[in-house]
């Protein structure tokens, strides 16, 4: 059984304590994650701090070239990373699973490497010249979740180092192994100390986020944990990018074609077994086509192969951990107790693995946990509405505001509805289709700041205004 190590200052650092990482499909041990101490954390931050001046002092083109080489290195090791990811996270190799995630990590890394933040001239005349210079911030703490551990690690690390910062990343204790391997590969390309990885058992987060030598935190996870991160950063006024929970609403207008939209609705809701912040989590359907949409979704869901992700024919895997399995189970049970009608799924078979069946629950409404809270799993509530004003009001009646979608045969009309949704991203006739050149972030309690593209790159810089 492989014992993984920390990576600090470009070197493998062994630990005296380890934690078993188990396959959520079978319960088998995948590998042993190192458990860092406070001393290890301090050493990692010190290594990143020491590496910062030289890395920040490199030209933009030099950093771009090295980030592009990181993309090549990830791509060259894609199958190894995908298989390790499936073993510890549970998602299938195929479909929108591990190979898809590693491919996304390569695409985001490559695109971010190509971006630049040149000097902006805001004035140049008789009164003088004013320039805006973008400068790196310092050491960035990156804290990543267990649902898309490799892709989100690249979302955090690559824009940080592209702009001249250095990084200490702490992956989720549920899925640390692929991130450790990713950082090992990065260190084959990058100077020592530019990217460091520590792993814990959820006991070092506060020490990292409050560390006086951490200048910025980028965090992806729940809103509740995001609040704690923000509070921890307050004493030193650290910069923050927080991508937090979502309870995304989709609205199906009466002119939509139920059979034509069924596939898009399904994958909008059930990609990664619903374990995605910007999944479709509440579906509002007009009364006139409600039954037809329910039937079309149930028919599509019946053909989906769920199972161990290493099987090539599988397209959906288990939930990643027992806590999430229990949440989804409880939310579905609550919905049924409040009058919900299970169209498909809703009855786990038991046995090894955290397998929860694809579940569609009709005839539910606000007041059920499955509607009001983020389920983060393969269970979708379908809510009937009669008037579009009612649907918009209900879609916005939530503290989250990450994404939303409108489904209609009339794109212009759909865009008018979309403009009234309180969310950071909105899609027409699809859901959750993010891309590396378009900013992504939430409003309300779904986060602070944005990721991706030039706007995401700017999050890792400060502005220095030069007057001459």
């Amino acid at each position: 059984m492989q014992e993984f190590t920390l990576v600090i200052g470009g070197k493998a650092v062994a630990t005296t304590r380890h934690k078993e990482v188990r396959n959520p499909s079978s319960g088998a041990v995948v590998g042993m994650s190192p458990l860092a101490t406070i001393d290890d954390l301090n050493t990692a931050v010190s290594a990143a701090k020491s590496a910062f001046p030289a890395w920040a002092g490199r030209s933009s083109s030099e950093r771009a070239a090295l980030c592009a080489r990181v993309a090549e290195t990830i791509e060259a090791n894609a199958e190894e990373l995908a298989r390790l990811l499936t073993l510890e996270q549970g998602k299938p190799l195929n479909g929108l699973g591990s190979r898809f995630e590693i491919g996304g990590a390569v695409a985001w890394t490559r695109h971010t490497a190509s971006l630049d933040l040149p000097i902006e001239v805001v004035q140049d005349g008789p009164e003088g010249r004013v320039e805006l210079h973008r400068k790196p911030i310092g050491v960035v703490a990156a804290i990543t979740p267990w649902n898309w551990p490799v892709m989100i690690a690249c979302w955090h690390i690559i824009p940080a180092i592209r702009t001249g910062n250095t990084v200490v990343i702490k992956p989720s204790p549920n899925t640390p192994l692929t991130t450790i391997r990713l950082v090992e590969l990065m260190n084959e390309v990058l100077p020592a100390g530019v990217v460091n990885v520590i792993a814990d058992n959820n006991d070092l987060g506060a020490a990292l986020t409050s560390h006086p030598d951490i200048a910025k935190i980028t965090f992806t996870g729940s809103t509740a944990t995001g609040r704690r991160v923000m509070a921890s950063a307050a004493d030193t006024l650290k910069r923050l990018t927080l991508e937090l929970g979502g309870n995304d609403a989709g609205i199906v207008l009466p002119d939509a074609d139920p059979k034509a939209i069924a596939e898009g609705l399904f994958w909008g809701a059930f990609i990664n077994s619903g374990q995605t912040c910007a999944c479709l989590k509440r579906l509002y359907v007009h009364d006139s086509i409600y039954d037809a949409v329910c039937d079309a979704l149930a028919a599509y869901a019946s053909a989906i192969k769920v199972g161990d992700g290493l099987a090539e024919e599988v397209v959906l895997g288990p939930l990643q951990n027992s806590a999430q399995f229990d949440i989804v189970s409880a939310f579905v049970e609550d919905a049924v107790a409040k009058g919900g009608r299970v169209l498909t799924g809703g009855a786990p078979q038991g046995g090894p693995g955290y397998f929860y069946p694809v579940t569609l629950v009709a005839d539910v409404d606000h007041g059920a946990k499955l509607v009001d809270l983020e389920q983060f799993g393969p269970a979708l509530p379908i809510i009937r509405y009669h008037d579009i004003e009612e649907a918009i009001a209900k879609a916005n009646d939530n503290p989250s505001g990450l994404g939303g979608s409108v489904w209609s045969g009339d794109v212009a009309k759909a865009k008018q509805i979309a403009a009234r949704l309180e969310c950071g991203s909105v899609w027409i006739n699809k859901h959750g289709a993010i891309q590396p050149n378009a900013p992504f972030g939430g409003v309300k309690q779904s986060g602070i700041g944005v990721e991706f593209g030039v706007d995401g790159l700017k999050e890792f810089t400060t502005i220095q205004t030069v007057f001459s």
Side-chain angles (χ1 to χ4, degrees):
M1 186 59 57
Q2 182 178 356
E3 290 188 354
F4 286 70
T5 65
L6 311 175
V7 180
I8 299 175
K11 298 178 181 179
V13 176
T15 59
T16 57
R17 299 182 305 135
H18 294 83
K19 174 182 181 291
E20 291 180 341
V21 177
R22 293 186 175 270
N23 185 336
S25 290
S26 65
V29 177
V30 177
M32 304 299 291
S33 172
L35 292 178
T37 64
I38 287 289
D39 286 343
D40 293 323
L41 185 155
N42 289 333
T43 301
V45 175
S46 178
K49 184 179 179 181
S50 296
F52 173 69
W55 181 246
R58 290 197 178 216
S59 69
S60 178
S61 60
E62 286 180 301
R63 293 197 299 267
L66 286 168
C67 287
R69 283 181 56 196
V70 168
E72 293 171 2
T73 302
I74 298 171
E75 192 169 43
N77 294 273
E79 188 64 14
E80 175 199 352
L81 290 168
R83 288 189 172 275
L84 182 57
L85 178 58
T86 289
L87 287 171
E88 70 170 346
Q89 203 280 335
K91 66 183 63 181
L93 286 169
N94 287 323
L96 299 174
S98 292
R99 289 171 178 145
F100 170 82
E101 178 171 348
I102 303 304
V106 172
W108 253 270
T109 298
R110 188 163 281 143
H111 180 77
T112 305
S114 74
L115 299 176
D116 201 4
L117 296 174
I119 295 169
E120 299 176 47
V121 179
V122 297
Q123 175 184 303
D124 191 12
E127 298 84 4
R129 181 179 174 92
V130 181
E131 299 173 346
L132 298 186
H133 295 241
R134 292 276 174 178
K135 304 184 69 174
I137 302 170
V139 180
V140 173
I143 303 175
T144 51
W146 47 259
N147 57 337
W148 297 91
V150 176
M151 193 144 62
I152 293 177
C154 289
W155 293 352
H156 287 196
I157 292 170
I158 302 303
I161 65 173
R162 176 65 188 87
T163 47
N165 304 281
T166 54
V167 174
V168 177
I169 185 169
K170 187 184 86 67
S172 165
N174 290 334
T175 54
L177 305 184
T178 321
T179 305
I180 291 172
R181 181 61 184 137
L182 175 72
V183 174
E184 288 175 350
L185 293 170
M186 288 181 173
N187 272 268
E188 293 178 4
V189 174
L190 300 170
V194 171
V195 179
N196 310 270
V197 59
I198 60 169
D200 70 344
N201 200 19
N202 270 341
D203 55 335
L204 293 180
L208 182 62
T209 57
S210 63
H211 197 291
D213 289 333
I214 295 291
K216 176 181 170 68
I217 303 165
T218 177
F219 169 79
T220 300
S222 71
T223 297
T225 305
R227 292 190 192 103
R228 294 196 293 272
V229 170
M230 193 171 184
S232 179
D235 284 348
T236 48
L237 293 177
K238 301 182 192 305
R239 272 63 177 172
L240 293 171
T241 299
L242 305 177
E243 196 270 276
L244 307 179
N247 195 351
D248 290 14
I251 299 176
V252 180
L253 302 186
D255 66 350
D257 181 339
K259 290 184 178 179
I261 65 174
E263 181 177 2
L265 287 172
F266 181 89
W267 289 111
F270 293 106
I271 183 175
N272 200 29
S273 296
Q275 300 168 113
T276 299
C277 293
C279 266
L280 172 59
K281 298 189 172 90
R282 298 175 285 150
L283 183 62
Y284 298 85
V285 182
H286 191 268
D287 178 65
S288 63
I289 59 170
Y290 185 85
D291 291 335
V293 169
C294 287
D295 290 345
L297 265 174
Y300 188 88
S302 67
I304 297 300
K305 179 70 173 177
V306 180
D308 189 319
L310 290 178
E312 294 285 346
E313 71 275 12
V314 166
V315 292
L316 283 181
L319 288 163
Q320 201 284 322
N321 55 78
S322 61
Q324 205 58 44
F325 182 92
D326 291 344
I327 288 170
V328 175
S329 300
F331 283 15
V332 171
E333 290 170 8
D334 175 75
V336 171
K338 289 181 167 64
R341 174 168 54 98
V342 175
L343 303 177
T344 185
Q349 297 302 306
Y354 304 122
F355 289 99
Y356 197 93
V358 171
T359 300
L360 300 167
V361 184
D363 301 340
V364 285
D365 207 336
H366 289 231
K369 291 179 181 178
L370 190 59
V371 177
D372 297 347
L373 304 175
E374 182 181 25
Q375 66 276 51
F376 217 69
L380 178 67
I382 309 174
I383 304 124
R384 189 189 306 264
Y385 77 90
H386 300 274
D387 177 76
I388 188 59
E389 295 299 322
E390 170 197 9
I392 295 170
K394 285 186 171 181
N396 289 335
D397 183 21
N398 196 275
S400 297
L402 193 57
S405 56
V406 183
W407 305 74
S408 171
D410 186 338
V411 173
K413 182 178 180 181
K415 285 184 176 180
Q416 291 177 353
I417 304 300
R420 299 176 61 189
L421 297 181
E422 297 170 355
C423 51
S425 297
V426 64
W427 295 273
I428 308 299
N429 294 325
K430 54 189 172 183
H431 196 105
I434 57 176
Q435 52 194 62
N437 61 339
F440 175 74
V443 300
K444 298 196 283 190
Q445 294 188 34
S446 284
I448 295 173
V450 297
E451 299 178 284
F452 315 154
V454 170
D455 292 283
L457 209 61
K458 289 178 179 178
E459 294 271 336
F460 291 89
T461 66
T462 57
I463 291 177
Q464 184 178 67
T465 307
V466 178
F467 300 85
S468 61

